[in-house]
Amino acid sequence: MPELPEMENYRLLLNQKISGHVIKDIEINRIKSINVAPEDFQEKVLSQKVVNIERKAKHLLFHLENGYILLLHLMLGGLMYYGSDDDKPKRTIQIQLSFGGETLFFIGLRLGYLHLYDEQGIKQELSHLGPEPLEQAFTLDLFLKMIEKKRGRLKAKLVDQQFISGIGNCYSDEICYHARILPIREISELTQGEAAQIYRSIKEVLQDALKHGGYIETPFFKDDALTGGFDSLCKVYDREGETCLRCGSKIKKEIISSRKVFYCTGCQK
Ligand SMILES: [Zn+2]
């Protein structure tokens, strides 16, 4: 599932490609991917200029000139491609927004969606989200306060969107590996120093992943050399049985509350 770095990568690229451009055609192949009647969607979205694209947690918000907002969540397996019919991935397209010469394709939206809201509706929809980890307001003091008296495994807390926005299965494991702390640890048993290290690792890992275009391998457009660069840089995620690059032990996989957790018992304490 795309997480903060993947969605932020999409946001940066989308702003370059489509902000200021008018939506000239809409094709909806899967009605379940939208939350209003297709006619209503057409009426409010067609011929609108995309003013800008914003990210909140794992969502993207496409702000339209008429004040309406398209809220995208890719969930599991969703992705986007910007280009032409000739070079788009050979996959089922659920929704496409055409900008004249080129088209934005939404692919793999089985659980994912592109919902339409007004400003009030969007506020309600996103009101449960915790702080954004890459924003300046997310300080060490705030983080230490946030985990005070909290219970549960570190992994479960890191992926909790009400606790922190944008971290999922991949980056929670990468953050714990970077911090040399086991994701299965109880959050209430972390020392002050360990908690501070987790905080630093959250910032460093997410920034590094963003710099390398996240881990979703499908390019966003033709000749896109950035997107997916972090896939080969993941140290533990999806690497069960492989050798730890830091200590040589084998990477372990465990299932905790139906989530996969990857870690190294050799160098994570
Ligand atoms: Zn190791």
Side-chain angles (χ1 to χ4, degrees):
M1 184 190 283
E3 302 178 30
L4 186 154
E6 290 70 42
M7 297 314 283
E8 186 64 16
N9 180 57
Y10 277 139
R11 184 189 72 82
L12 292 164
L13 295 172
L14 278 165
N15 268 320
Q16 291 169 17
K17 300 281 186 194
I18 65 164
S19 71
H21 292 227
V22 173
I23 298 169
K24 295 196 171 135
D25 192 34
I26 301 170
E27 222 178 284
I28 299 162
N29 302 321
R30 188 177 185 276
I31 289 172
K32 278 186 176 169
S33 301
I34 59 174
N35 62 332
V36 294
E39 308 75 53
D40 198 18
F41 192 94
Q42 291 276 354
E43 189 199 309
K44 296 196 168 87
V45 177
L46 190 63
S47 305
Q48 285 301 315
K49 188 190 278 180
V50 177
V51 180
N52 76 310
I53 295 106
E54 185 188 7
R55 183 191 57 75
K56 293 222 186 276
K58 301 175 195 169
H59 302 83
L60 287 187
L61 286 69
F62 296 73
H63 291 273
L64 306 179
E65 210 174 11
N66 61 1
Y68 279 94
I69 298 146
L70 289 171
L71 179 69
L72 172 72
H73 198 310
L74 292 172
M75 303 291 280
L76 206 66
L79 53 96
M80 280 181 281
Y81 185 79
Y82 184 74
S84 71
D85 274 329
D86 296 334
D87 55 47
K88 69 172 196 263
K90 308 258 175 298
R91 297 269 308 269
T92 313
I93 311 286
Q94 283 76 40
I95 300 175
Q96 57 189 67
L97 304 178
S98 174
F99 294 87
E102 293 189 284
T103 299
L104 179 59
F105 299 98
F106 297 89
I107 303 165
L109 293 187
R110 282 166 299 143
L111 299 167
Y113 54 80
L114 188 67
H115 285 177
L116 182 68
Y117 289 103
D118 59 14
E119 220 163 296
Q120 201 50 41
I122 207 100
K123 266 189 202 145
Q124 265 175 9
E125 199 57 28
L126 302 178
S127 61
H128 65 288
L129 294 170
E132 283 286 336
L134 291 185
E135 280 181 4
Q136 285 201 340
F138 183 70
T139 60
L140 176 59
D141 279 353
L142 174 68
F143 181 68
L144 294 177
K145 271 203 193 86
M146 281 163 58
I147 64 168
E148 238 175 67
K149 298 187 188 111
K150 282 282 185 309
R151 295 216 169 160
R153 311 252 197 170
L154 182 54
K155 167 86 180 187
K157 220 65 216 157
L158 288 174
V159 299
D160 177 354
Q161 298 304 294
Q162 296 188 31
F163 181 66
I164 305 177
S165 280
I167 298 171
N169 263 339
C170 170
Y171 293 106
S172 53
D173 289 350
E174 293 299 317
I175 287 163
C176 291
Y177 177 84
H178 186 271
R180 296 174 181 255
I181 294 167
L182 287 168
I184 51 176
R185 290 267 303 275
E186 270 294 319
I187 202 161
S188 56
E189 288 164 11
L190 295 177
T191 65
Q192 188 96 345
E194 286 173 330
Q197 182 54 55
I198 289 286
Y199 169 82
R200 287 192 295 274
S201 296
I202 289 172
K203 296 243 180 200
E204 278 183 47
V205 169
L206 295 177
Q207 265 153 1
D208 193 39
L210 174 58
K211 195 174 85 187
H212 291 96
Y215 70 77
I216 290 191
E217 281 176 295
T218 311
F220 177 62
F221 57 93
K222 203 178 167 208
D223 304 325
D224 173 10
L226 173 66
T227 301
F230 195 71
D231 186 56
S232 57
L233 299 175
C234 287
K235 308 290 195 300
V236 282
Y237 182 70
D238 235 356
R239 296 197 179 281
E240 183 188 17
E242 290 182 31
T243 305
C244 170
L245 297 171
R246 198 160 55 193
C247 77
S249 304
K250 288 268 176 283
I251 306 295
K252 224 184 131 180
K253 179 176 110 180
E254 211 180 307
I255 308 282
I256 292 178
S257 351
S258 68
R259 280 181 186 279
K260 286 188 265 185
V261 188
F262 298 89
Y263 55 84
C264 173
T265 46
C267 60
Q268 287 177 261
K269 300 282 173 260

